[in-house]
């Protein structure tokens, strides 16, 4: 019999570690090839790790709530054969530790803005988690360079920076940094006042994902001055077109045809009209994004929220968008998303109408500068202009709300962008092919 080391697989650019949530098998259990053996969590998404071989789990090396690094062994399996083997779950990624150049490639500093204005130069290669902690704690670049990293190639790990923060008062003084806006150490635990539970109240601890959502939402509101514009849109043509095509599309493709591909197509065309809505802010610089990656806010069965991303949405046909949207929604609700599936959004759509809501004022996810909320489609009497004068007819109407970051998006840009989405939907061609 041979030993097989099950390693934590690569999980996408910038993701260097994960937390063990639950082992689905115990030591001594037999597993088959492709069985999901453990649930893991990154700061982006929860997912399962399958085993690429059949065998018996003889040793679990990383227990629940422990953190494992990419490429680190998390369990040992006993398999048929002689000697020992060490493999990552994905065959494309070698088991050997990546060289320095590879590390620089997979973990380049993200062009994001956080609660502080601290910026780091390109020669500091920090994971998103470490960078987030550094920005939240207002740790300067000089301080970071003084930290001796315990990670591969001397990189700073989460444990290194947390230990530094804990002992920061005992560290040698560093040159003063430019004044920055202070931010709470924990966005979740920063209420205006202490709340005491009354008799009979139920105390429900936040799960890991809810804590992440809470922290991200508080930071987003602290960072971006939100402005919201509203518009009511006649989507009668869209409704007619979908009703005409949905049965044939499902028969041909085996996929449901929802309204979301149409909304995404209209948003992409409007972004192409106004590319300065497809930007991020880094310090005093505006980063104009080349790719159009649309985030799609998705409610999960447990009540939490996740935003999978349709990559290069401008390069997809309506049929391609429908397939991508259905795939992401299915995998999101079944915990099958990969960390890279939630990264890189440049603009987000939230379909509040799926809950029967007429409109909403969504929070802009950082580092994006705008988000669109789609309301419920409702039949209403509306005034139509005809050659013979105005008439009242029953139409399918829908509200849209566009929230944007007033640091870089003024009312004219935010409003015109929304109006163009409105125009594309109102003038939807009933002969559009799919």
């Amino acid at each position: 019999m041979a030993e097989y080391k099950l390693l934590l697989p690569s999980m996408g650019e910038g993701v260097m570690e994960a937390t063990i949530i639950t082992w689905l098998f115990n030591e001594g259990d037999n597993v088959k090839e492709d069985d999901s053996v453990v649930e893991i969590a990154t700061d982006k998404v929860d997912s399962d790790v399958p085993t690429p071989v059949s065998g018996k789990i003889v040793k679990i090396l990383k227990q629940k709530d422990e953190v494992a690094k990419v490429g680190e062994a998390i369990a040992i399996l006993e398999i048929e054969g002689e000697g020992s083997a060490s493999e990552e779950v994905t065959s494309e990624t070698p088991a050997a530790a990546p060289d320095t150049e590879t590390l620089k490639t997979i973990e380049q500093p993200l062009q994001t803005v956080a609660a502080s204005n601290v910026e780091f130069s390109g020669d500091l290669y920090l994971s998103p988690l470490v960078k987030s902690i550094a920005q939240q704690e207002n740790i300067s670049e000089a301080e970071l360079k003084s930290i001796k990293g315990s990670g591969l190639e001397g990189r700073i790990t989460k444990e290194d920076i947390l230990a530094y923060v804990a002992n920061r008062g005992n560290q040698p003084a560093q040159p003063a940094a430019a004044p920055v806006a202070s931010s709470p150490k924990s966005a979740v635990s920063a209420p205006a006042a202490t709340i005491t539970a009354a008799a009979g109240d139920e105390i429900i601890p936040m799960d890991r994902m809810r804590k992440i959502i809470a922290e991200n939402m508080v930071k987003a509101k602290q960072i971006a001055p939100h402005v919201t514009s509203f518009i009511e849109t006649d989507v009668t043509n869209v409704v007619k077109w979908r009703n005409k095509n949905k049965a044939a599309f499902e028969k041909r493709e085996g996929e449901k045809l929802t309204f979301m591909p149409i909304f995404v197509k209209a948003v992409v065309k409007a972004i192409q009209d106004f590319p300065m809505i497809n930007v991020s802010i880094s310090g005093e610089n505006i980063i104009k994004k080349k790719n159009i990656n649309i985030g799609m806010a998705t409610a999960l069965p447990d009540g939490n929220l996740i935003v999978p991303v349709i990559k290069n949405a401008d390069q997809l046909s309506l049929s391609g968008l429908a397939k991508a949207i259905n795939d992401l929604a299915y995998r999101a609700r079944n915990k099958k998303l990969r960390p890279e599936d939630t990264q890189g959004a440049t603009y987000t759509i939230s379909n509040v109408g799926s809950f029967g809501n007429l409109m909403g004022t969504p929070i802009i996810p950082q580092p994006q500068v705008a988000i669109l909320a789609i309301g419920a489609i409702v039949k209403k009497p509306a005034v139509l202009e005809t050659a013979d004068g105005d008439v009242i007819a029953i139409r399918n109407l829908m509200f849209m709300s566009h929230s944007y970051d007033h640091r870089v998006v003024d009312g004219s840009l935010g409003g015109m962008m929304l109006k163009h989405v409105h125009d594309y939907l109102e003038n939807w061609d009933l002969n559009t092919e799919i």
Side-chain angles (χ1 to χ4, degrees):
M1 302 296 284
E3 282 189 351
Y4 180 93
K5 291 182 179 178
L6 179 64
L7 308 184
L8 184 69
S10 174
M11 294 169 289
E13 182 178 343
V15 181
M16 300 299 291
E17 62 185 22
T19 301
I20 303 298
I21 301 178
T22 304
W23 281 96
L24 305 176
F25 292 88
N26 300 314
E27 290 182 0
D29 288 347
N30 291 308
V31 294
K32 296 179 180 179
E33 182 180 348
D34 291 331
D35 278 350
S36 293
V37 294
V38 63
E39 293 182 356
I40 61 172
T42 70
D43 58 348
K44 296 290 184 182
V45 70
D46 295 353
S47 57
D48 296 342
V49 174
T51 171
V53 298
S54 299
K56 182 169 73 173
I57 300 176
V58 295
K59 183 68 174 176
I60 291 176
L61 303 176
K62 289 291 182 179
Q63 303 299 322
K64 180 180 178 180
D65 296 329
E66 289 187 339
V67 175
K69 293 179 172 58
V70 169
E72 186 177 4
I74 57 176
I76 297 175
L77 278 66
E78 186 177 77
I79 61 174
E80 295 291 336
E82 298 181 358
S84 62
S86 177
E87 297 286 345
E88 286 198 11
V89 170
T90 51
S91 58
E92 308 93 35
T93 310
D99 57 26
T100 304
E101 290 305 313
T102 302
L103 281 171
K104 290 180 180 179
T105 301
I106 65 176
E107 198 180 354
Q108 293 176 352
L110 297 181
Q111 296 292 341
T112 60
V113 61
S116 97
N117 293 324
V118 177
E119 294 293 330
F120 308 122
S121 62
D123 60 348
L124 274 174
Y125 302 105
L126 309 174
S127 72
L129 179 60
V130 170
K131 186 174 183 180
S132 175
I133 294 171
Q135 290 174 315
Q136 185 172 310
E137 298 292 339
N138 290 331
I139 298 174
S140 67
E141 183 172 331
E143 290 178 278
L144 284 171
K145 289 182 176 179
S146 72
I147 300 174
K148 185 177 180 180
S150 62
L152 190 63
E153 303 288 342
R155 300 171 74 88
I156 299 172
T157 67
K158 180 183 74 172
E159 290 75 16
D160 297 330
I161 196 165
L162 290 178
Y164 177 83
V165 170
N167 297 289
R168 198 175 185 187
N170 301 321
Q171 301 293 331
Q174 299 292 333
V180 295
S182 60
S183 62
K185 291 187 177 181
S186 174
V188 174
S189 58
T194 301
I195 307 298
T196 303
D201 291 349
E202 182 182 2
I203 298 175
I204 304 173
M206 289 186 182
D207 60 24
R208 188 194 62 84
M209 183 174 284
R210 178 50 54 184
K211 289 179 183 178
I212 293 173
I213 293 171
E215 290 173 356
N216 288 342
M217 293 301 98
V218 171
K219 287 179 182 177
K221 290 292 284 187
Q222 290 173 334
I223 293 166
H226 285 55
V227 176
T228 305
S229 297
F230 300 88
I231 199 166
E232 188 174 29
T233 303
D234 186 335
V235 291
T236 302
N237 279 3
V238 170
V239 172
K240 288 181 178 179
W241 179 86
R242 176 176 173 267
N243 288 339
K244 183 177 73 171
N245 289 280
K246 63 181 180 180
F249 181 79
E250 184 171 1
K251 183 178 180 180
R252 187 186 80 203
E253 304 290 348
E255 300 272 355
K256 296 286 188 181
L257 180 59
T258 67
F259 288 109
M260 186 57 74
I262 306 167
F263 298 151
V264 172
K265 178 63 75 172
V267 166
V268 166
K269 292 173 71 174
I271 289 174
Q272 291 171 329
D273 295 337
F274 299 99
M276 287 307 292
I277 211 79
N278 198 52
V279 304
S280 291
I281 302 174
S282 179
E284 296 181 350
N285 296 320
I286 298 173
I287 300 172
K288 187 179 178 182
K289 299 293 185 177
K290 175 183 177 182
N291 297 329
I292 299 177
N293 300 330
I294 303 297
M296 181 180 70
T298 304
L300 300 177
D302 61 5
N304 286 320
L305 178 75
I306 199 165
V307 185
V309 181
I310 308 162
K311 303 292 177 62
N312 299 309
D314 55 318
Q315 299 176 23
L316 297 176
S317 64
L318 267 177
S319 178
L321 285 172
K323 292 177 180 180
I325 289 166
N326 290 342
D327 172 62
L328 288 170
Y330 173 81
R331 290 194 288 118
R333 293 175 183 129
N334 289 276
K335 294 188 175 181
K336 300 296 183 183
L337 288 176
R338 301 177 297 270
E340 59 265 31
D341 292 326
T342 63
Q343 297 173 336
T346 61
Y347 187 94
T348 293
I349 300 174
S350 178
N351 185 6
V352 300
S354 62
F355 311 114
N357 299 159
L358 292 178
M359 64 180 73
T361 53
I363 297 174
I364 307 164
Q366 290 297 312
Q368 299 160 53
V369 299
I371 180 173
L372 180 74
I374 304 291
I377 298 174
V378 180
K379 287 185 177 181
K380 297 179 182 178
V383 176
L384 300 182
E385 295 181 359
T386 73
D388 297 323
D390 294 345
V391 297
I392 295 177
I394 301 299
R395 306 292 288 179
N396 292 280
L397 301 180
M398 177 186 77
F399 284 105
M400 293 187 293
S401 51
H402 192 214
S403 295
Y404 41 92
D405 185 340
H406 212 344
R407 292 177 299 171
V408 291
V409 181
D410 294 327
S412 58
L413 174 57
M416 287 189 295
M417 159 75 182
L418 179 60
K419 181 61 165 57
H420 274 226
V421 176
H422 162 93
D423 290 343
Y424 286 128
L425 293 175
E426 281 212 343
N427 298 309
W428 187 261
D429 186 352
L430 290 171
N431 297 315
T432 300
E433 294 185 0
I434 185 163

